[in-house]
Amino acid sequence: MAIREIHVTGYRSVRSLRLHLSQINVLTGANATGKTNLYNSVFLLAKAAAGGFAQVVAEEGGMPSVLWAGARKSRSMGSIRMEPVRMTLGIKTDTFSYELVCGLPKQSGNEKSAFSLDPEVKEERVWMDAPHGLKVTFFERSPKGAWILDNDERLADYTGELLPTESVLSQLREPHLYPELSSLRTEISRWRFYHHFRTDPESPLRHPQVGVRTPVLAHDGRDLAAALQTINEVGQSQDLHEAIRQAFPGASLEIEHDEDTGMFAVLLRMPGLRRALRARELSDGTLRYLCLLAALLSPHPPSLLALNEPETSLHPDLLEPLAKQLVNAGKYSQLWVVTHSQRLAELVEKFSGESPIKLELIGGETRVMGQRTVEESEEEAG
């Protein structure tokens, strides 16, 4: 269930942007053009489905901090007033469309809530485009209430069942009654995001960890050794070790396992050295590259794999093998990659044929180079 289109309005530097996605999507642009904002908008949708949407918004500074702060157009309805401040996050997949509209919470009475920075879901809907221009709506929430379509195709009132700060996808009760919503939630929950791998001396990556079979690397890479060993044991050992050789000619990866304690540790044997180097001795870039390999060679590839600045700390010589691994992973997962490296973007384009998405900042607004805004398109059509 790949994302075919993403629509974001009112989020930080993104005033209004609609983006059609391919199998491999690489976002580039100068600092402060909004690359991370677009990345985070997809991450927010994932949290909306899994639960914890309000917490992530709070960690970004609360709803007032994430809303578009630029100029807003006025609307005339008998008198001039400003359009409401809203953040819209929407996607269109192969099957479903989903839209979440949030704003500041309403204040009742003279008492101000301690949770005034929380997001409040103003509108939410899930639908499917049917033949002949028809649309089948499975869920809709608005200020007037919420209704849901069950598996018997009956409309049910869902008003009062939902927390105002969270998506319906994270609050479904008896999900078997709502198979379409349950399917969408399950698919979104399989998206994976890798923002950053800690490599400081105290990072779990640098020390042995208790391990279990790990087909999916943790978001912070703390189970790296177990994840790499899992790749070894499920028949992808050749791919993993070939990737190591491409990046570090003459090197070989070893995973140390203590059967008594269940501890796993990463070792890398380099040419010319008498002993293998332990994770605590590896450079930041080498350790992060091993994490990227574990994510990209996962035995259970996700429908969407998102990487934020994967080139961080990598030597320029590693960009070509990384690009090859990204393109290979794109055969099994839709990729959403944000990078400052023009070289990495060019290499991915070379190996995949997919041109990067270049962002720019115009008047404080994130824009896709060469793409008209909605208003510009409407003016041209008019």
Coordinates of all heavy atoms in Angstrom, one line a residue, residues 138 143 148 177 190 208 211 217 244 266 289 306 323 349 352:
F138 N -15.6 5.9 4.9 CA -15.6 4.9 5.9 C -15.7 5.5 7.3 O -16.2 4.9 8.3 CB -14.4 3.9 5.9 CG -14.3 3.2 4.6 CD1 -13.4 3.6 3.6 CD2 -15.2 2.1 4.3 CE1 -13.3 2.9 2.4 CE2 -15.1 1.4 3.1 CZ -14.2 1.8 2.1
P143 N -16.9 19.1 13.6 CA -17.4 19.7 14.8 C -18.8 19.2 15.2 O -19.3 19.3 16.3 CB -17.4 21.2 14.5 CG -16.2 21.3 13.5 CD -16.3 20.1 12.7
I148 N -19.2 6.3 11.6 CA -18.4 5.3 11.1 C -19.2 4.2 10.3 O -20.3 4.0 10.7 CB -17.6 4.6 12.3 CG1 -16.4 3.8 11.8 CG2 -18.5 3.8 13.1 CD1 -15.4 3.4 12.9
L177 N -15.0 -5.0 13.4 CA -16.2 -4.4 12.9 C -15.9 -3.3 11.8 O -16.9 -3.0 11.1 CB -17.0 -3.8 14.0 CG -17.5 -4.7 15.1 CD1 -18.3 -3.9 16.2 CD2 -18.4 -5.8 14.5
R190 N 3.2 -0.2 10.0 CA 4.3 -0.9 9.5 C 5.4 0.1 8.9 O 6.4 -0.4 8.5 CB 3.9 -1.9 8.5 CG 3.1 -3.1 9.1 CD 2.6 -4.0 8.0 NE 1.9 -5.1 8.6 CZ 1.0 -5.9 7.9 NH1 0.8 -5.6 6.6 NH2 0.4 -6.9 8.4
P208 N 27.9 -4.4 24.2 CA 27.1 -5.7 24.0 C 25.7 -5.5 24.6 O 25.5 -4.8 25.6 CB 27.9 -6.7 24.8 CG 29.3 -6.2 24.8 CD 29.2 -4.7 24.9
G211 N 20.3 -10.0 23.3 CA 19.6 -10.1 22.0 C 18.6 -11.2 21.8 O 18.8 -12.3 22.4
L217 N 15.1 -3.7 12.8 CA 16.0 -2.9 13.7 C 15.2 -1.9 14.4 O 14.3 -1.2 13.9 CB 17.1 -2.2 12.8 CG 18.1 -1.3 13.5 CD1 19.1 -2.2 14.2 CD2 18.8 -0.4 12.5
I244 N 29.2 -5.1 3.0 CA 30.3 -4.8 3.9 C 31.6 -4.6 3.0 O 32.3 -3.6 3.2 CB 30.5 -5.8 5.0 CG1 29.4 -5.8 6.0 CG2 31.8 -5.5 5.7 CD1 29.2 -4.6 6.8
V266 N 28.9 -6.5 18.1 CA 29.4 -6.3 16.7 C 30.9 -6.2 16.7 O 31.5 -5.4 17.6 CB 28.8 -5.0 16.1 CG1 29.4 -4.7 14.8 CG2 27.3 -5.1 16.0
Y289 N 26.8 3.4 9.4 CA 26.6 2.6 8.2 C 26.1 1.2 8.4 O 25.3 0.7 7.7 CB 27.9 2.6 7.4 CG 27.7 2.1 6.0 CD1 27.3 2.9 5.0 CD2 28.0 0.8 5.6 CE1 27.1 2.5 3.7 CE2 27.8 0.3 4.3 CZ 27.3 1.2 3.4 OH 27.1 0.7 2.1
A306 N 11.5 5.3 5.9 CA 11.9 6.7 5.9 C 13.3 6.9 6.6 O 13.4 6.4 7.8 CB 10.9 7.5 6.6
A323 N 24.1 4.4 -1.7 CA 23.1 4.7 -2.8 C 22.6 3.4 -3.4 O 21.4 3.1 -3.7 CB 23.6 5.6 -3.9
E349 N 19.7 8.8 -8.1 CA 19.1 9.0 -9.4 C 19.8 8.2 -10.5 O 19.2 7.6 -11.4 CB 19.2 10.5 -9.8 CG 18.5 10.8 -11.1 CD 18.5 12.3 -11.4 OE1 19.3 13.0 -10.8 OE2 17.8 12.7 -12.3
S352 N 18.8 4.5 -10.0 CA 17.3 4.2 -10.0 C 16.5 4.8 -11.1 O 15.5 4.4 -11.5 CB 16.7 4.6 -8.7 OG 16.7 6.0 -8.6

